Amino acid sequence: MAASSDRLAPFPAAEEPGAGAPDTADGDSDEGGDIFVCNSNPVAAVSRGVSQPEPPDLFSEEDEDDDEEEEEEAGANTPAKSNGVHSDDDNDLFAEAHVELSTDKPGNSDRKELSTSSSGLRPASSFTQSHAAMQPTSLEQMEDEEAKDSFDVDVAVTNPEKVGDGMNAYVAYKVSTRTSLPMFRSKAFTVRRRYSDFLGLYEKLSVKQSLQGCIIPPPPEKSVVGMTKVKVGMDDPSSVEFVERRRAALERYLQRVVCHPSLLQDPDVREFLEREELPRAVSTQTLSGAGFLKMINRASDAVNKMTIKMNESDTWFEDKFQEVENEEQQLRKLHALVDSLVNHRKELCGNTAVFAKSMAMLGNSEDNTALSRALSQLAEVEDKMEQLHQEQAASDFFIFEELLADYIRLLGAMRGCFDQRIRAWQRWQEAQGTLQKKREAEAKLLWANKPDKLQQAKDEITEWESRVTQYERDFDRVGMTVRKEVLRFEKEKAKDFKSQIIKYLEAMLQSQQRLIKFWEAFLPEAKAIA
Amino acid sequence: MMEEVKDVSPTLSVHGHNIKVTEALKDGDTLTFLVVSQKLSGTGEYHVARTYDDFEWLQQHLFSQEDVPGIQGVIFPPLPAKAQVNASAKVLKQLGFLALEEWQPYCKALEAFLRQIAAHSILSKNKAVEIFLTSSDPPGRQRIKKNIFNRLSQAVEGMRKEGHKDVDDFFQTERDHNLLLTGCTKTAAEKFLDVVLTEQKIAVACGHFSAALHLCVEPGEDPDKQAFSKACVKLSEVFDSMKKNMTSVAENNLNTLGLGLDLESRYQEAEKEMLFRRTCKLVELEAARKNAEKAKPVKKAAMEEVKKAAETEFEHICGVAKQEIAHFHGVRVELLRQSLVEWCEKQLLTAKENADQFNQHLQAFRGLA
């Protein structure tokens, strides 16, 4: 009975949930049920864009609270200089805005929304080892154990740099790890990885880790359009934005991987983090956008084609699955609405800039001095407002749109979780069927009196009996895992949304206060006209 | 200087500075505007209903005052283009700001028009103004004869005459400056309109998001689910505030600077028309002078007459024009000043209110379990 080796971790629709634009939302890493997190030293944001040879101060945020899910990102925005492609890249959309924002408050989800844009799920609670051997016997016990464990690995993805020229160019990222776990060769190390390396890691993990009820976090999706622009040049705003989004998504992906206790043990993960040169991953074709979609469809087809329909003794799973599907729909709708809002804000930026220019021209043509000055001031105010609008658009996008996108994928992966359980059940049932046949065969042999074949039949029966037991245990284990995952997911979702909303409100409030200052400065100019 | 107009009562019987156009009522395809003015003596008010055609009637009467010397030198308060129910895209584009908000800005524009006429030393003396403001019957609808202000013919000859060099530096400068300002102001008004329209779109988008969030409320006893639902409801309120704020911001833009730029733009056009009329008269005068010079003795006397008449008329026009221009410069600066100050004050107030709102929401969220 082959393990479903063809079954890679489920991944929701290849294109952005709801949006569908290939070069916008790069898929964020997400898990369905996996809400593991490293909550020891939160992955403080690295001073992105600042080239540091060693990352000793990469991770600066202190642990505040085990359950603080945004710890990883808390430091994400240490007053880093810039957050774009190059350290002093003036084209960095968010550089200026970043500088203006207030400094971090410990433990607060102070990802300055612009700089990090990591809005993904940051599950707070740790998780106990979930290998088949150990299984917490009750939910309470599970939760107790969760609270105690902590993981001591932090990863950051920074410094995207274009390597090479023309259509063979690619972007290399710095992957920095800091850890105190003995299984690693040193306490802090850095390697350079390209996007296909991340995809390669995902593929290896998926093949190995299926049927556990675990969700393998998927990396962001490929984007031909996005990458082509980058190959041409990394300087224009849309390329900068694309690279930044991908960088943040890759970081979240890795953070989730290393926070998963089983995945962390996987030698492929260690190799990814530690090894200087990785052999080039070749079979990443399947992981393109279309490839993912095919995978999902194949997976669900497999489930649908089951001849033995699962007899669900536990309605909990049915109900939950339905809820998950509903929620995914709602979030898709919300995502589309936020996308629309973001686009309008960007439009407003453009309009404001054009208006500012027209006022400047009017001011220049005006011969009344006071009026002329006031009009020129007005043009400047409008320019500043354009900046504000840009920041607001970024806020909307990185805080809400990416958050929603993450959760849509998480829910999709969670559905995959449920599928895995059904598949485990199926395997168990089929084994039972086979066992039954073997017993019948033995009975026939007994009756036909063929003693030489009898021993073989008995051996086979023994073998299949143990398999049946194994598969039943697997099924139970997967069920337990799924339940745990779902509960934790809900907890984290509530926390995550709340913290993101607070971050958003803080940013909006700051914007408003700056706006008030602009108006207060302009008023005397207007009154001075005579 | 201007001669005393022989006509009617020299003053209006109502206050000019607080004429109001309070409403636009839809009656099938036509829009009717309510015009309210305060009696000078006593505490009474006149309430009259006028259609756009009535406004045009008034304007035509003012245009056709041929017996008022130098009337062509007047910068006529601009009347906005015709408002229509179910207006075409082209008409809406032409009206710009005035087509928004259920014709409220349009009423303000009509109001400004009437107030400016009532305040004008020459125009307010015309009988038509009194009739327009006080007569309970609609003013007469007969088409007045085609007057010198037929814009269509101007447009045809315009290109040729517009560039005609002036004899007077003051006017040449004014013409050049006006040309520059007219273009700039029109562009600024158009671009500002784009800003306002996008702000309205953002408000709508916030409203949609707010409504959709409300649907995310999940049933169930589970505390985490309840926490999430509460967060969604609160966020829905946040975006509802944002929608209201954006709507206010757009309204403030529209009602202060938007209308100001619109009026300024139309006033610049009105000055342009006046200057053009004067230029046409100049061309006429130069032609008359030439004719008088070249005339054969038989026609000489007649040509001289024509020349003298043209000279006198031109003189009058220049005189009136100079006064109008001086007045106009003062008035427009004051108008812009008012618009800018009001704009700034309103936006400042709205921004402060919005900041308060965000603060409240923030506190509420932080307090959420």
Side-chain angles (χ1 to χ4, degrees):
Chain A
M1 184 64 87
S4 22
S5 56
D6 57 328
R7 178 142 152 27
L8 301 179
F11 187 78
E15 290 308 310
E16 296 65 7
D23 58 339
T24 49
D26 225 333
D28 282 335
S29 54
D30 63 283
E31 314 98 13
D34 179 359
I35 330 183
F36 317 138
V37 77
C38 316
N39 59 358
S40 57
N41 297 317
V43 179
V46 194
S47 324
R48 309 212 191 303
V50 176
S51 9
Q52 291 171 356
E54 260 310 289
D57 18 278
L58 274 185
F59 314 100
S60 53
E61 288 292 303
E62 285 307 314
D63 226 2
E64 164 140 315
D65 172 17
D66 265 2
D67 274 31
E68 195 59 60
E69 77 267 26
E70 40 286 352
E71 283 174 332
E72 293 83 302
E73 293 146 339
N77 299 295
T78 46
K81 288 63 176 176
S82 83
N83 184 23
V85 172
H86 313 294
S87 300
D88 343 289
D89 189 1
D90 283 341
N91 286 332
D92 180 1
L93 287 176
F94 314 115
E96 193 192 338
H98 176 67
V99 164
E100 306 238 8
L101 293 168
S102 67
T103 48
D104 308 323
K105 289 190 288 196
N108 201 0
S109 57
D110 28 27
R111 309 158 247 217
K112 297 309 179 275
E113 68 280 9
L114 312 167
S115 303
T116 8
S117 70
S118 356
S119 60
L121 172 60
R122 293 284 159 242
S125 35
S126 49
F127 184 60
T128 51
Q129 295 284 55
S130 71
H131 289 304
M134 305 191 290
Q135 232 188 112
T137 48
S138 74
L139 274 183
E140 280 166 17
Q141 194 178 346
M142 276 193 266
E143 281 163 12
D144 283 348
E145 284 163 339
E146 280 161 21
K148 284 186 237 139
D149 274 358
S150 65
F151 287 88
D152 191 13
V153 184
D154 295 309
V155 241
V157 176
T158 59
N159 293 72
E161 265 170 23
K162 186 167 155 198
V163 175
D165 271 316
M167 290 321 276
N168 289 328
Y170 64 90
V171 177
Y173 302 86
K174 194 163 92 169
V175 177
S176 315
T177 316
R178 193 178 71 165
T179 176
S180 62
L181 291 180
M183 70 171 147
F184 289 99
R185 274 189 254 126
S186 58
K187 290 223 177 332
F189 43 91
T190 303
V191 292
R192 293 194 75 75
R193 295 284 178 256
R194 55 185 291 184
Y195 175 69
S196 54
D197 296 333
F198 290 81
L199 285 190
L201 175 64
Y202 173 69
E203 197 167 45
K204 288 192 201 136
L205 289 178
S206 307
V207 167
K208 283 193 256 178
Q209 297 282 353
S210 48
L211 256 207
Q212 298 274 355
C214 296
I215 308 303
I216 317 297
E221 296 142 332
K222 272 191 183 182
S223 164
V224 177
V225 179
M227 273 320 287
T228 308
K229 274 199 244 169
V230 171
K231 286 184 213 259
V232 169
M234 288 233 293
D235 288 340
D236 63 286
S238 66
S239 286
V240 169
E241 195 176 324
F242 172 79
V243 171
E244 170 54 23
R245 283 180 56 206
R246 174 169 276 192
R247 182 207 62 74
L250 289 174
E251 185 172 89
R252 291 200 294 279
Y253 162 62
L254 275 191
Q255 284 166 351
R256 289 194 177 106
V257 168
V258 300
C259 290
H260 194 312
S262 339
L263 296 183
L264 185 57
Q265 302 300 321
D266 192 311
D268 280 321
V269 173
R270 246 177 296 146
E271 185 183 72
F272 181 89
L273 293 175
E274 275 187 326
R275 193 164 152 184
E276 271 300 308
E277 294 282 325
L278 268 191
R280 179 88 193 278
V282 286
S283 56
T284 54
Q285 262 66 21
T286 47
L287 298 176
S288 65
F292 273 134
L293 194 52
K294 255 195 266 163
M295 226 160 44
I296 313 294
N297 292 339
R298 252 189 293 132
S300 358
D301 282 345
V303 172
N304 289 338
K305 285 205 196 92
M306 279 197 321
T307 45
I308 320 168
K309 265 298 173 217
M310 179 152 186
N311 186 357
E312 188 62 81
S313 50
D314 190 347
T315 54
W316 188 92
F317 287 94
E318 251 172 34
D319 294 341
K320 274 297 166 206
F321 190 77
Q322 194 56 53
E323 277 177 29
V324 166
E325 282 194 324
N326 292 343
E327 193 170 347
E328 199 176 326
Q329 285 314 309
Q330 285 181 329
L331 292 190
R332 279 183 195 274
K333 199 161 57 149
L334 288 178
H335 182 275
L337 290 175
V338 175
D339 193 52
S340 162
L341 176 61
V342 169
N343 287 335
H344 287 318
R345 284 221 204 262
K346 287 185 174 164
E347 196 187 325
L348 185 58
C349 285
N351 290 341
T352 308
V354 168
F355 174 61
K357 276 204 192 70
S358 73
M359 282 319 266
M361 272 183 56
L362 190 56
N364 284 341
S365 317
E366 186 57 56
D367 52 357
N368 178 309
T369 353
L371 182 56
S372 170
R373 194 174 57 232
L375 292 174
S376 304
Q377 288 284 72
L378 202 177
E380 278 179 31
V381 168
E382 288 292 320
D383 268 333
K384 289 189 193 146
M385 299 227 286
E386 187 217 340
Q387 184 62 39
L388 273 189
H389 293 320
Q390 275 225 11
E391 292 171 21
Q392 284 179 337
S395 259
D396 288 342
F397 180 74
F398 283 111
I399 294 184
F400 284 125
E401 198 167 333
E402 294 281 74
L403 176 70
L404 290 166
D406 274 358
Y407 273 89
I408 291 165
R409 290 192 186 86
L410 281 161
L411 288 171
M414 208 175 21
R415 273 191 292 125
C417 225
F418 284 86
D419 281 350
Q420 279 182 325
R421 176 176 165 271
I422 291 177
R423 251 179 292 276
W425 180 86
Q426 184 189 18
R427 196 167 68 148
W428 173 35
Q429 296 301 309
E430 285 173 3
Q432 282 187 323
T434 312
L435 176 61
Q436 183 62 26
K437 288 206 197 86
K438 296 288 178 197
R439 286 195 173 131
E440 285 167 7
E442 185 204 29
K444 278 208 200 106
L445 287 176
L446 272 172
W447 194 78
N449 200 11
K450 292 209 182 116
D452 45 328
K453 292 204 179 132
L454 205 53
Q455 187 51 46
Q456 182 190 350
K458 283 203 192 296
D459 289 340
E460 282 180 6
I461 287 175
T462 316
E463 180 199 337
W464 277 95
E465 275 172 348
S466 74
R467 279 203 194 182
V468 166
T469 316
Q470 178 61 46
Y471 293 162
E472 183 179 3
R473 253 193 258 136
D474 282 348
F475 171 69
D476 285 337
R477 180 180 46 82
V478 170
M480 286 237 74
T481 305
V482 169
R483 279 186 108 108
K484 243 199 295 193
E485 303 286 69
V486 167
L487 289 177
R488 196 170 299 114
F489 172 79
E490 269 156 24
K491 183 181 273 168
E492 294 313 320
K493 184 180 74 178
K495 260 198 258 180
D496 204 7
F497 268 73
K498 180 182 163 194
S499 80
Q500 288 294 88
I501 292 169
I502 288 180
K503 199 164 103 163
Y504 184 77
L505 287 173
E506 286 172 348
M508 290 285 118
L509 186 54
Q510 276 200 339
S511 260
Q512 280 301 119
Q513 283 161 346
R514 280 164 64 201
L515 185 62
I516 289 172
K517 288 212 169 58
F518 296 156
W519 289 124
E520 283 175 343
F522 179 68
L523 190 54
E525 290 288 339
K527 287 190 164 157
I529 300 171
Chain B
M1 259 334 323
M2 288 181 299
E3 299 156 40
E4 266 300 301
V5 183
K6 287 173 267 186
D7 270 11
V8 203
S9 47
T11 47
L12 285 175
S13 70
V14 296
H15 287 282
H17 67 278
N18 55 8
I19 300 174
K20 287 199 196 8
V21 177
T22 54
E23 276 184 81
L25 302 167
K26 269 184 242 184
D27 180 17
D29 261 353
T30 25
L31 282 168
T32 309
F33 304 95
L34 284 178
V35 181
V36 178
S37 39
Q38 312 289 323
K39 289 188 181 159
L40 272 182
S41 56
T43 54
E45 282 184 349
Y46 286 105
H47 288 239
V48 294
R50 296 287 179 256
T51 63
Y52 185 81
D53 287 345
D54 297 328
F55 279 85
E56 266 196 327
W57 171 92
L58 174 59
Q59 197 184 44
Q60 293 297 321
H61 264 280
L62 297 175
F63 282 167
S64 64
Q65 301 176 92
E66 286 167 347
D67 50 346
V68 176
I71 188 74
Q72 295 198 51
V74 168
I75 301 176
F76 286 85
L79 180 65
K82 181 165 184 176
Q84 294 161 7
V85 180
N86 304 321
S88 68
K90 186 164 156 224
V91 168
L92 288 177
K93 189 164 191 293
Q94 187 191 21
L95 286 173
F97 284 104
L98 305 183
L100 301 178
E101 303 286 301
E102 299 291 323
W103 306 116
Q104 289 309 310
Y106 192 85
C107 290
K108 284 260 168 296
L110 292 177
E111 209 173 87
F113 170 71
L114 292 174
R115 288 186 187 183
Q116 282 148 10
I117 289 177
H120 197 285
S121 48
I122 301 175
L123 300 178
S124 60
K125 295 185 164 66
N126 190 297
K127 206 172 22 174
V129 182
E130 176 76 18
I131 295 175
F132 181 92
L133 289 172
T134 61
S135 159
S136 45
D137 296 323
R141 295 284 165 83
Q142 324 122 312
R143 247 22 211 118
I144 309 162
K145 62 177 159 69
K146 276 295 174 247
N147 54 58
I148 51 177
F149 296 81
N150 188 329
R151 289 195 193 130
L152 191 53
S153 70
Q154 275 187 354
V156 167
E157 302 182 342
M159 288 296 100
R160 190 164 48 90
K161 289 185 185 160
E162 196 156 25
H164 187 91
K165 195 156 184 329
D166 211 300
V167 296
D168 185 334
D169 270 347
F170 170 80
F171 280 103
Q172 185 64 58
T173 314
E174 188 64 22
R175 280 163 63 189
D176 296 336
H177 197 234
N178 168 270
L179 190 61
L180 184 60
L181 276 184
T182 322
C184 288
T185 317
K186 187 150 180 271
T187 308
E190 281 171 5
K191 301 309 172 195
F192 198 51
L193 180 62
D194 288 338
V195 168
V196 170
L197 290 175
T198 309
E199 284 170 344
Q200 290 179 334
K201 281 191 220 166
I202 291 177
V204 169
C206 287
H208 286 326
F209 191 55
S210 169
L213 277 168
H214 228 84
L215 296 177
C216 284
V217 176
E218 294 168 2
E221 295 298 318
D222 180 62
D224 293 315
K225 274 207 185 299
Q226 287 192 337
F228 181 71
S229 297
K230 260 191 242 163
C232 282
V233 168
K234 278 242 150 283
L235 187 62
S236 170
E237 287 169 17
V238 168
F239 271 87
D240 192 56
S241 306
M242 282 171 59
K243 168 183 148 194
K244 294 199 172 90
N245 169 256
M246 251 311 163
T247 308
S248 292
V249 167
E251 260 173 26
N252 293 344
N253 279 342
L254 174 62
N255 290 329
T256 57
L257 189 57
L259 286 187
L261 285 174
D262 170 81
L263 182 59
E264 164 77 0
S265 173
R266 286 184 294 117
Y267 240 123
Q268 293 286 353
E269 288 282 344
E271 192 198 15
K272 185 168 166 190
E273 279 164 20
M274 181 278 277
L275 291 169
F276 181 71
R277 289 193 295 269
R278 179 187 158 280
T279 307
C280 289
K281 261 300 169 219
L282 176 60
V283 169
E284 206 183 287
L285 174 58
E286 286 174 354
R289 282 198 179 129
K290 246 192 233 140
N291 289 343
E293 254 181 56
K294 291 199 217 144
K296 302 201 172 101
V298 137
K299 291 260 180 77
K300 195 109 180 162
M303 288 293 110
E304 282 292 322
E305 281 290 321
V306 170
K307 185 189 90 172
K308 278 229 171 57
E311 272 173 357
T312 315
E313 207 184 341
F314 187 69
E315 217 177 277
H316 282 146
I317 290 175
C318 288
V320 170
K322 275 208 167 103
Q323 279 191 325
E324 289 280 284
I325 288 170
H327 181 68
F328 175 60
H329 283 182
V331 163
R332 69 172 279 270
V333 169
E334 182 51 32
L335 271 174
L336 282 173
R337 178 189 179 283
Q338 262 181 34
S339 298
L340 288 170
V341 169
E342 212 189 334
W343 178 59
C344 187
E345 283 173 346
K346 280 213 167 116
Q347 295 292 36
L348 184 53
L349 188 61
T350 302
K352 284 184 174 160
E353 282 171 0
N354 202 27
D356 277 341
Q357 279 280 319
F358 276 131
N359 217 354
Q360 279 177 23
H361 286 302
L362 191 52
Q363 299 314 317
F365 261 103
R366 286 192 175 136
L368 269 187

